[in-house]
Amino acid sequence: MTDPESLPDYRPDPAILPLADWLADPVSPADFPETILRFRNDRAARTVGLVGLDDGQWVAHFGRFDPLPENLPRPLALRYHGHQFRVYNHELGDGRGFLHAQLRDDRQRLLDLGTKGSGQTPWSRQGDGRLTLKGAVREVLATEMLEALGVYTSRTFSIVETGEELWRGDEPSPTRSAVLTRLSHGHIRIGTFQRLALLEERAAMEQLVEYCLARFPGPENAFDGPGADHPAAILMNQVVERLADLAASYMVAGFVHGVLNTDNMNVTGESFDYGPWRFLPRWDASFTAAYFDHSGLYAFGRQPEALHWNCAQLAIALRTLCPSEPLVAALERFGPLYERFLAKRWCWRLGVEPRGDDRDTRLVATCERVLQESGVAPDRFFHTHRGGRNASGELAEALRPYTVTEDDHPYWREAEPQSMLIDEVEAIWTPIAEDDDWTPLWSKIERLRRVGEAHGTPPTPAGH
């Protein structure tokens, strides 16, 4: 076991333990035949005091899942329900993952270390509880790209290859396996509240609301009115604000999550759990990521609608504790908040200072028209017109009132922007699959982190 004295900046805080009896099930990790370290996110590890682990200790904690010092004694598979493509499912829960540890970061925020592919749990149903190595590689690429583009996302903390052969219907099999650890600002889902509401567990619901307000603090006086000071209404306002911002960040990034079910909605507003994701090759509201999304429910342009609908499901669940009026009032804030956050984030990516008025909305509309008419990829559009450069016609006119953000990063002088289209994902995976060559992946991660440096500090996520 790791000596806590060897990790002076490590701050364990297993705050979820008082809720564990009704929120989770203690489980054991799978006993993998191999544990080969493939990726460790030292940048993220530095923020939570774990960068001092050597590779052997890292694999012990994130491949075999030995407990971290003074942390959760056993992993916890969380219980929740959820709407999956708007069909309610009460048989959900952590089926191939668990909560491994909780700890404070260098800003004193409570963070979770959760897993994907760590073995079967009581909620696995017919699944094997495993993750393909390709799925893990895709997740690190998604999180690194999203973080670079200012999206409030979980971070891929670790990938350990596990030596098993997996059979999957949607990729060539047998295929290699892995266990992934993510660093997230909590794992409480809208579906967690839905489960408690269905089971009529009012006391647990009150405890969970209190936990979220204490552990994920945010603005408390979002609106005035009857019931506005009720804890459930305060939480509802926070979640609406956060998810409106998340929807805006997806659109500005040109990102399609693919599976925006209520069990994939973190009440912190943090994006996580990346399966069939895609980035846009061109600006297309109907573009879908999941081959099984036959109706286009979670198409690119419908993502704000999807997150608003999910907020409504939280409001329905919180009716267990709170009158409807303040919950509905909170829900009605979603649209205006989304428009405001969209404009703010759009200006940030474009490299201009937002004006804070209708001109921002008109700028976004003009850019969208240019994107649609030109067919240019969003990444290229923002790179070409960073700081208002190379603009002509109506775009130049829309940009005229704006002050350019100071930015002389060499990335903006490169001929080609970084992107993460599906062809490049496959090109990065192929040398891993065929020759165990990880160089293209490491190189891409390095380039994506330069993208983040070039953009600078993103707008603060709403409610944080």
Side-chain angles (χ1 to χ4, degrees), residues 82-88 258-263 276 290 292-298 309:
H83 278 89
Q84 297 187 305
F85 287 83
R86 301 199 178 170
V87 177
Y88 195 81
V259 191
L260 295 175
N261 298 328
T262 57
D263 57 300
F292 45 83
D293 186 3
H294 304 296
S295 68
L297 180 64
Y298 297 144
W309 191 90

Side-chain angles (χ1 to χ4, degrees), residues 102-236:
Q102 291 183 293
L103 62 176
R104 296 280 173 175
D105 70 359
D106 52 6
R107 295 166 50 193
Q108 292 304 310
R109 299 181 306 163
L110 180 67
L111 299 183
D112 288 358
L113 285 167
T115 66
K116 190 174 183 179
S118 49
Q120 291 180 315
T121 78
W123 307 102
S124 297
R125 292 177 286 170
Q126 303 301 314
D128 59 14
R130 270 44 174 192
L131 172 68
T132 67
L133 182 61
K134 184 177 183 180
V137 168
R138 284 174 44 81
E139 182 138 339
V140 72
L141 288 171
T143 56
E144 291 285 341
M145 183 68 174
L146 289 171
E147 187 176 4
L149 296 180
V151 175
Y152 187 44
T153 177
S154 64
R155 287 167 286 172
T156 304
F157 195 76
S158 171
I159 296 174
V160 174
E161 188 168 358
T162 55
E164 296 178 319
E165 291 188 341
L166 303 180
W167 293 84
R168 295 290 186 267
D170 56 354
E171 60 181 275
S173 298
T175 189
R176 293 153 70 178
S177 60
V179 61
L180 178 146
T181 304
R182 66 166 68 98
L183 184 65
S184 309
H185 192 193
H187 277 87
I188 305 301
R189 301 157 164 86
I190 288 177
T192 313
F193 287 90
Q194 290 181 287
R195 174 182 175 273
L196 296 177
L198 184 72
L199 299 178
E200 299 182 348
E201 295 186 6
R202 181 185 176 92
M205 180 88 82
E206 290 175 339
Q207 193 177 2
L208 186 60
V209 168
E210 180 181 351
Y211 174 89
C212 291
L213 292 177
R215 304 299 176 178
F216 316 131
E220 295 188 4
N221 298 308
F223 74 102
D224 295 322
D229 59 350
H230 191 289
I234 294 171
L235 178 62
M236 182 69 196

Side-chain angles (χ1 to χ4, degrees), residues 74 108 266 408:
R74 290 187 64 186
Q108 292 304 310
N266 193 331
D408 60 354

